[in-house]
Amino acid sequence: MEALIPVINKLQDVFNTVGSDVIQLPQIAVVGTQSSGKSSVLESLVGKDLLPRGTGVVTRRPLILQLVNLTPEDRRKAAAEENDPNAWKNGRLYKGVESEEWGKFLHTKNKIYTDFDEIRQEIENETERISGNNKGISAEPIHLKIFSPHVVNLTLVDLPGITKVPVGDQPKDIEIQIRDLILRYISNPNSIILAVTAANTDMATSEALKVAREVDPDGRRTLAVITKLDLMDAGTDAMDVLMGRVIPVKLGIIGVVNRSQLDINNKKVVAEAIRDEYAFLQKKYPSLANRNGTKYLARTLNRLLMHHIRDCLPELKTRINVLAAQYQSLLNSYGEPVEDKSATLLQLITKFASEYCHTIEGTAKYIETSELCGGARICYIFHETFGRTLESVDPLGGLTTIDVLTAIRNATGPRPALFVPEISFELLVKRQVKRLEEPSLRCVELVHEEMQRIIQHCSNYSTQELLRFPKLHDAIVEVVTSLLRKRLPVTNEMVHNLVAIELAYINTKHPDFADACGLMNSNIEEQRRNRMRELPPSVPRDKGGPGDGTQDAGTGGWRGMVKASKSEDGPYEEKTKYMTSLPASPQKGHAVNLLDVPVPVARKLSAREQRDCEVIERLIKSYFLIVRKNIQDSVPKAVMHFLVNNVKDNLQSELVGQLYKSLLLDDLLTESEDMAQRRNEAADMLKALQRASQVIAEIRETHLW
């Protein structure tokens, strides 16, 4: 199982080559406040002074530190081919390194550092290169590998120390920046949290444990480290803390003794400090000495990381396979470099035209699930939007009884009419039918907008190859938009004519209209007979002989209905009116101006007027419903013929005629500037994922997992 950590290091190297963190590998994240002793703990694990020191925020970029244990056999087998995929399995790591211990940065490529003072200086230089020299922080990590026979295999992440108050020219939100950066790493479910707290502070107020609990409330992946055991106040000890009586931590609590600043200034080596630490623990905590100290911490971290890696590998393998499939699909969408431009252009044009038509017909490969699209939306516009809009139009909307009465009077001229004039009905019904034109034209507009939206749908989902060639994409959009724009006035004109046709001839002999009139005539005649039965005996009754309204009424014609309504008018009608008083007689010698006679503002209609209006309104409603039914049926047909089907039938030929020209080939098939870069990045990531998959597969073959 010991070999699992080098495997993870190998996976880390694989993904470092592509500069990606899409895979969250198992690692140990070191968290603590400033001056809590984080750097000393890490240097104790490495056995060398290699980290920058100072006041304030010293660690300003995450440092991913990979410790690789080298045996003498490994050094003898060091090989030149560092990037050889099989180097890890054959034990070949580096060539030409004479030192027993050395380091290597990712950003310096193959440069080997045998002087650890140079490693410290390079960390400082690289930090300032990205983060500047104003104590600001950066989330971009520094990758460092340490090869030594004195270390255990570990992967650690040194994070900036938690701070509360900005100092110097630090940003005012430095606390939030550091906190967000820490959470970014410890939120990784594959990480182990190493929470560092100084022994001379209150364990209950530990910021490291507090932030760890936010992402690991159960403490299943948190290990606490208590530093500076030798700096506690006289008469006190950390026995209760180390025993877990103050704050229990599931993975354990380990105490260590750091080098003091004086020790560092005096160049006290780490090995000597570890010996002094062991002596201190034996003297101060004899019963706990074998479960504390730097060496025990290193062994514990190694064991925890190995078990953690073993638990994470199944999910890691699944994640790598899923990502490999996604990047393969992404690489396919970018396509291969174009060789035959003529064939490629024709293929793309044909595919777009086919996908456009399939989207209208509902047979597209990519079906939208979040909203209606294409032909389904056009159907919805026809039968839901347009149909319901027409049904909501009131046949008598905007038409008052006074309007009807005024139209009747204006149509009779100066002579009182015996019958309701036919022209009044035609004028009023045309006015109402005209109201159907606006929603009909709006229906055309909505379908046109949906036809325009289909272009974007095909670009986004169906023909992603077009994204490679932005000029071709723009040209196709322009051609289709132009074709739609050209068909729009033709379709509008046809819909306008459909309404104009209805206005051109009011067919009062329409079968549905004649049936409605006949039914209304029967109702009016029945009402007239009921009134005749209620008349006093002294009033002469209508015998219904030849020449009266019943003969025409029985024909079912609308004129018969009007005549029948006239025959009901008699001396028994109540003709009460609310009239304004007339002015007094003019004085002698003064001319009379008839226009000064006030017109009644409000009055009650006579029974005859009321019946005339009711008859006209019924006729208008009956005829309007007939026309509305015709419009509701004919407008969608016209839109489909003149707009939708015409575009479908001519789209392919229009695109070929406008774009398939030898002079346009090079320009239209010019890739976007970043397409080649994205293709290379996707190819590199796919290779890295495939290599990672091979590494994990070899683990299974060697029974390490």
Side-chain angles (χ1 to χ4, degrees):
M1 189 184 295
E2 179 71 24
L4 286 177
I5 296 179
V7 168
I8 292 300
N9 290 340
K10 181 62 180 179
L11 291 177
Q12 184 73 60
D13 293 342
V14 168
F15 292 112
N16 286 344
T17 59
V18 293
S20 175
D21 56 355
V22 294
I23 295 292
Q24 295 180 317
L25 296 173
Q27 56 193 10
I28 300 171
V30 185
V31 181
T33 58
Q34 289 183 20
S35 304
S36 62
K38 290 192 301 88
S39 298
S40 295
V41 171
L42 291 174
E43 288 181 338
S44 298
L45 294 173
V46 177
K48 292 288 184 179
D49 293 330
L50 78 162
L51 298 178
R53 291 182 177 273
T55 59
V57 180
V58 178
T59 305
R60 297 188 286 128
R61 290 177 60 184
L63 175 65
I64 299 180
L65 180 62
Q66 293 176 266
L67 305 183
V68 181
N69 177 263
L70 286 181
T71 64
E73 184 68 18
D74 292 328
R75 294 196 64 247
R76 286 194 294 269
K77 293 182 179 179
E81 300 171 347
E82 174 192 342
N83 295 323
D84 183 357
N86 296 318
W88 70 276
K89 186 172 67 174
N90 298 329
R92 294 183 284 113
L93 296 171
Y94 297 94
K95 177 184 178 182
V97 181
E98 300 299 332
S99 175
E100 185 181 42
E101 301 172 290
W102 70 90
K104 180 175 180 291
F105 288 97
L106 176 65
H107 64 272
T108 59
K109 305 302 180 184
N110 296 325
K111 183 177 181 180
I112 304 300
Y113 293 82
T114 57
D115 186 346
F116 281 80
D117 289 335
E118 291 184 13
I119 291 178
R120 181 191 306 110
Q121 187 60 47
E122 182 59 31
I123 293 175
E124 293 178 354
N125 295 340
E126 180 64 12
T127 298
E128 291 187 0
R129 186 179 69 84
I130 299 297
S131 304
N133 54 8
N134 63 346
K135 298 298 183 181
I137 67 169
S138 171
E140 184 177 343
I142 299 174
H143 294 266
L144 172 62
K145 295 181 75 172
I146 300 295
F147 299 87
S148 170
H150 308 299
V151 299
V152 295
N153 292 312
L154 287 176
T155 300
L156 302 145
V157 182
D158 185 20
L159 297 168
I162 301 171
T163 184
K164 291 294 184 181
V165 180
V167 295
D169 54 357
Q170 286 181 343
K172 293 183 179 180
D173 62 341
I174 186 68
E175 177 188 359
I176 298 176
Q177 290 186 30
I178 292 177
R179 178 182 175 83
D180 291 344
L181 179 58
I182 291 174
L183 289 174
R184 174 180 172 182
Y185 278 87
I186 66 176
S187 297
N188 172 11
N190 294 334
S191 68
I192 294 175
I193 305 171
L194 190 65
V196 180
T197 303
N200 55 359
T201 61
D202 188 355
M203 185 76 168
T205 61
S206 170
E207 290 290 336
L209 288 175
K210 178 182 177 182
V211 72
R213 282 189 173 182
E214 292 184 21
V215 297
D216 183 32
D218 297 332
R220 296 182 181 277
R221 52 188 183 90
T222 300
L223 174 68
V225 174
I226 307 301
T227 62
K228 304 181 182 181
L229 290 175
D230 56 333
L231 299 182
M232 297 188 68
D233 294 338
T236 63
D237 59 34
M239 185 66 72
D240 289 341
V241 172
L242 296 176
M243 295 292 291
R245 296 168 185 165
V246 178
I247 295 181
V249 180
K250 288 189 176 180
L251 292 186
I253 301 175
I254 299 176
V256 297
V257 177
N258 301 334
R259 289 180 298 166
S260 65
Q261 188 61 46
L262 180 61
D263 294 335
I264 296 173
N265 295 338
N266 293 334
K267 305 296 183 180
K268 184 177 182 179
V269 296
V270 175
E272 184 180 350
I274 292 178
R275 287 195 297 269
D276 292 344
E277 175 192 52
Y278 178 75
F280 173 83
L281 291 174
Q282 288 290 346
K283 177 181 178 181
K284 189 69 175 178
Y285 304 96
S287 63
L288 301 177
N290 62 338
R291 287 180 290 165
N292 289 276
T294 300
K295 289 187 176 181
Y296 180 76
L297 174 62
R299 292 195 302 270
T300 301
L301 289 175
N302 178 264
R303 175 178 54 81
L304 290 176
L305 187 58
M306 284 191 300
H307 286 284
H308 197 61
I309 291 171
R310 182 191 60 188
D311 296 338
C312 294
L313 275 179
E315 183 180 352
L316 192 62
K317 177 178 181 294
T318 301
R319 173 70 173 160
I320 289 174
N321 291 338
V322 170
L323 282 175
Q326 292 176 350
Y327 273 92
Q328 182 66 63
S329 176
L330 182 63
L331 189 61
N332 293 340
S333 69
Y334 292 153
E336 298 295 332
V338 178
E339 297 180 358
D340 189 344
K341 293 186 175 182
S342 179
T344 300
L345 178 60
L346 184 59
Q347 178 185 5
L348 290 174
I349 288 176
T350 302
K351 184 172 183 179
F352 180 88
S354 299
E355 291 296 336
Y356 191 93
C357 296
H358 290 331
T359 303
I360 294 176
E361 296 166 357
T363 58
K365 180 179 179 181
Y366 298 92
I367 300 297
E368 182 66 59
T369 58
S370 59
E371 62 177 352
L372 293 178
C373 178
R377 192 174 184 88
I378 292 174
C379 179
Y380 182 87
I381 292 172
F382 285 156
H383 303 292
E384 297 294 332
T385 306
F386 177 61
R388 291 186 178 181
T389 300
L390 288 189
E391 291 173 0
S392 66
V393 177
D394 184 3
L396 302 175
L399 196 63
T400 65
T401 303
I402 297 301
D403 294 337
V404 176
L405 184 60
T406 301
I408 294 174
R409 288 185 172 181
N410 286 337
T412 59
R415 297 174 299 281
L418 296 176
F419 308 108
V420 177
E422 182 177 343
I423 190 63
S424 62
F425 163 71
E426 292 195 6
L427 290 174
L428 293 172
V429 80
K430 286 181 179 180
R431 170 179 165 181
Q432 299 306 103
V433 170
K434 183 69 175 176
R435 298 168 61 214
L436 298 176
E437 182 174 12
E438 182 180 352
S440 300
L441 294 175
R442 177 59 179 159
C443 175
V444 178
E445 183 180 351
L446 290 175
V447 174
H448 176 267
E449 291 175 358
E450 179 57 27
M451 299 281 284
Q452 194 73 34
R453 287 179 68 246
I454 296 176
I455 302 176
Q456 191 63 35
H457 173 82
C458 292
S459 301
N460 292 341
Y461 299 100
S462 304
T463 53
Q464 292 189 3
E465 295 93 335
L466 285 178
L467 300 179
R468 292 179 59 191
F469 312 108
K471 291 186 178 181
L472 175 59
H473 175 267
D474 294 342
I476 288 178
V477 171
E478 179 60 30
V479 171
V480 181
T481 302
S482 177
L483 179 59
L484 290 171
R485 192 185 305 120
K486 184 169 62 177
R487 297 305 305 171
L488 184 59
V490 178
T491 309
N492 281 335
E493 181 66 20
M494 182 60 199
V495 171
H496 172 78
N497 287 337
L498 289 176
V499 179
I501 289 170
E502 297 291 346
L503 296 173
Y505 180 66
I506 305 301
N507 183 16
T508 57
K509 291 295 185 181
H510 192 284
D512 296 340
F513 185 67
D515 293 343
C517 291
L519 182 60
M520 284 188 284
N521 287 341
S522 300
N523 293 337
I524 292 175
E525 178 62 18
E526 183 65 26
Q527 293 175 6
R528 187 185 70 82
R529 290 175 180 173
N530 291 338
R531 286 199 186 93
M532 293 296 292
R533 296 190 189 98
E534 297 172 359
L535 289 178
S538 59
V539 178
R541 300 176 181 271
D542 186 1
K543 301 298 183 180
D548 62 12
T550 58
Q551 183 176 357
D552 285 337
T555 64
W558 77 278
R559 295 184 184 82
M561 183 178 69
V562 173
K563 291 180 180 180
S565 69
K566 294 301 182 211
S567 65
E568 298 178 29
D569 216 0
Y572 58 91
E573 290 180 332
E574 179 183 2
K575 300 184 181 292
T576 58
K577 299 178 182 179
Y578 302 102
M579 302 291 294
T580 57
S581 59
L582 295 176
S585 300
Q587 298 180 359
K588 185 176 181 181
H590 288 77
V592 177
N593 186 354
L594 296 178
L595 296 179
D596 288 340
V597 178
V599 178
V601 178
R603 65 182 180 83
K604 183 178 180 181
L605 299 180
S606 67
R608 174 177 174 177
E609 291 173 334
Q610 184 68 33
R611 284 193 299 274
D612 288 349
C613 291
E614 290 178 358
V615 168
I616 292 297
E617 289 174 354
R618 291 179 181 178
L619 292 173
I620 291 173
K621 183 175 182 180
S622 175
Y623 196 82
F624 180 87
L625 295 178
I626 294 172
V627 174
R628 185 174 72 182
K629 183 178 179 181
N630 294 342
I631 294 296
Q632 190 171 351
D633 178 65
S634 58
V635 166
K637 293 178 178 178
V639 174
M640 287 298 298
H641 177 71
F642 287 91
L643 180 60
V644 179
N645 291 342
N646 189 281
V647 170
K648 282 173 51 183
D649 295 341
N650 296 286
L651 181 59
Q652 171 81 10
S653 59
E654 191 76 14
L655 288 172
V656 172
Q658 294 288 336
L659 303 179
Y660 191 64
K661 299 176 181 178
S662 58
L663 296 178
L664 299 177
L665 283 177
D666 293 336
D667 186 51
L668 292 178
L669 294 181
T670 301
E671 286 189 324
S672 60
E673 296 179 357
D674 60 340
M675 180 56 68
Q677 179 182 351
R678 285 189 288 174
R679 185 191 295 112
N680 292 335
E681 290 175 353
D684 292 342
M685 178 56 71
L686 182 60
K687 291 179 181 177
L689 291 167
Q690 290 172 344
R691 287 172 56 192
S693 181
Q694 292 175 359
V695 169
I696 294 179
E698 290 170 352
I699 296 174
R700 298 180 68 92
E701 292 176 3
T702 54
H703 306 287
L704 293 176
W705 172 20

